[in-house]
Amino acid sequence: MENVIYTLHDFMLRTESLTYILIVAALCGFIFFWRFLSERDDGRDHLGADRPGGHHR
């Protein structure tokens, strides 16, 4: 079974579907990366120092 592209429409359909898959993967990756970064800062204030006893100001 060969994957031959005969028309411009076939080429555009294939590249557009690949683009949408990459966009969804990038958005999912960004969400997980954002959650990773924000979970690291839960116990720290804005300057990076630990809060004594975990109290908020």
Side-chain angles (χ1 to χ4, degrees):
M1 183 173 169
E2 296 182 26
N3 292 329
V4 179
I5 299 173
Y6 291 107
T7 64
L8 178 62
H9 185 267
D10 291 337
F11 174 74
M12 295 296 288
L13 184 63
R14 187 167 299 188
T15 56
E16 186 175 359
S17 62
L18 181 64
T19 303
Y20 285 136
I21 291 170
L22 290 175
I23 288 172
V24 169
L27 287 175
C28 290
F30 178 75
I31 290 170
F32 287 119
F33 183 66
W34 183 261
R35 290 183 67 193
F36 170 74
L37 289 180
S38 63
E39 287 175 3
R40 291 181 58 191
D41 292 336
D42 285 343
R44 301 181 181 274
D45 63 4
H46 294 289
L47 297 176
D50 289 332
R51 294 183 180 138
H55 297 289
H56 298 282
R57 294 182 191 186

